[in-house]
Amino acid sequence: AQSVTQPDIHITVSEGASLELRCNYSYGATPYLFWYVQSPGQGLQLLLKYFSGDTLVQGIKGFEAEFKRSQSSFNLRKPSVHWSDAAEYFCAVGGYNTDKLIFGTGTRLQVFP
Amino acid sequence: KAGVTQTPRYLIKTRGQQVTLSCSPISGHRSVSWYQQTPGQGLQFLFEYFSETQRNKGNFPGRFSGRQFSNSRSEMNVSTLELGDSALYLCASRTGGDTDYGYTFGSGTRLTVV
């Protein structure tokens, strides 16, 4: 079965601290992996994506993610969190020749000053 | 470059009515997909269109339908609305090329069924 698991529903960090959001996937074919961010009442903004090649991908707003095939993981990281990073983060998986994305349940990030 | 535009932003309908939501993709984007987002079920895929053809459909009842026009604009329709259809409906577009994945999402239409 195809699925995405984000084990952390809610994470709280202090501003300036490092961040890692976890994502595990199950997908029968070669996965295309994505991280999106959603602010309250807004749509989804693409942070970064992985299709192939270098397993460490850089995204916008200083985020990066590492694809680990052996662990079926695609964790999102940021070395220093800013208060404006507070939002909900979604990991998603898709595949070649299909536009259907399967989303995780999301991780809500709260940032304390 | 204008983003994905969804109209209306907010909508209140009565149970049993029908509703049509509109999505204008980014210029040049030929692929459009729709998602439903609810607190209980999260983000769920509704359907995808490419060059006016529905290529994939999610696990939703037949009350949910959609279409895409020759200019790539898309509409989705929900008939006989139920309270459980209250959700944020998100539209997303991409060029449709094999090397271009990663949808751009609109801000969504918030549908409330009363």
Side-chain angles (χ1 to χ4, degrees):
Chain A
Q2 301 170 346
S3 65
V4 175
T5 301
Q6 294 180 247
D8 304 306
I9 296 173
H10 187 201
I11 285 183
T12 301
V13 299
S14 298
E15 191 171 19
S18 63
L19 173 71
E20 182 170 27
L21 302 183
R22 296 182 291 165
C23 172
N24 291 95
Y25 68 90
S26 174
Y27 200 74
T30 300
Y32 292 172
L33 294 156
F34 309 85
W35 274 100
Y36 284 89
V37 61
Q38 185 179 37
S39 297
Q42 297 300 310
L44 301 170
Q45 182 182 23
L46 179 66
L47 288 175
L48 46 77
K49 58 190 177 185
Y50 171 80
F51 300 147
S52 64
D54 192 348
T55 56
L56 184 64
V57 293
Q58 303 296 322
I60 63 171
K61 304 185 179 185
F63 286 93
E64 67 177 27
E66 186 171 12
F67 171 59
K68 293 185 178 180
R69 185 184 298 275
S70 61
Q71 299 176 20
S72 297
S73 69
F74 188 57
N75 293 348
L76 181 71
R77 300 194 293 249
K78 187 170 185 177
S80 178
V81 171
H82 188 263
W83 64 266
S84 61
D85 293 324
E88 188 143 24
Y89 292 79
F90 292 92
C91 180
V93 67
Y96 177 74
N97 210 30
T98 175
D99 286 359
K100 176 182 177 180
L101 295 180
I102 299 166
F103 284 87
T105 51
T107 297
R108 182 168 299 280
L109 174 65
Q110 192 170 10
V111 181
F112 280 110
Chain B
K1 195 174 189 182
V4 178
T5 303
Q6 292 189 245
T7 56
R9 285 296 310 276
Y10 302 93
L11 206 49
I12 300 176
K13 288 287 188 179
T14 303
R15 192 170 44 182
Q17 288 185 314
Q18 76 164 17
V19 66
T20 299
L21 311 181
S22 178
C23 171
S24 294
I26 291 173
S27 178
H29 284 195
R30 295 188 297 161
S31 180
V32 172
S33 290
W34 289 87
Y35 291 81
Q36 181 197 62
Q37 185 177 25
T38 60
Q41 299 298 316
L43 283 151
Q44 292 187 290
F45 171 80
L46 279 158
F47 16 67
E48 66 171 280
Y49 289 89
F50 180 79
S51 293
E52 302 179 66
T53 300
Q54 186 181 87
R55 296 202 297 190
N56 206 346
K57 190 176 192 298
N59 189 26
F60 279 81
R63 300 183 298 106
F64 291 82
S65 63
R67 59 178 175 169
Q68 186 180 32
F69 302 95
S70 59
N71 61 358
S72 294
R73 191 178 71 85
S74 179
E75 289 181 347
M76 67 163 282
N77 184 77
V78 187
S79 62
T80 319
L81 283 165
E82 300 177 359
L83 296 179
D85 297 332
S86 294
L88 180 66
Y89 290 88
L90 293 165
C91 168
S93 75
R94 69 178 185 94
T95 61
D98 287 346
T99 58
D100 172 44
Y101 280 79
Y103 274 109
T104 300
F105 280 81
S107 297
T109 294
R110 171 75 62 184
L111 171 65
T112 302
V113 182
V114 297

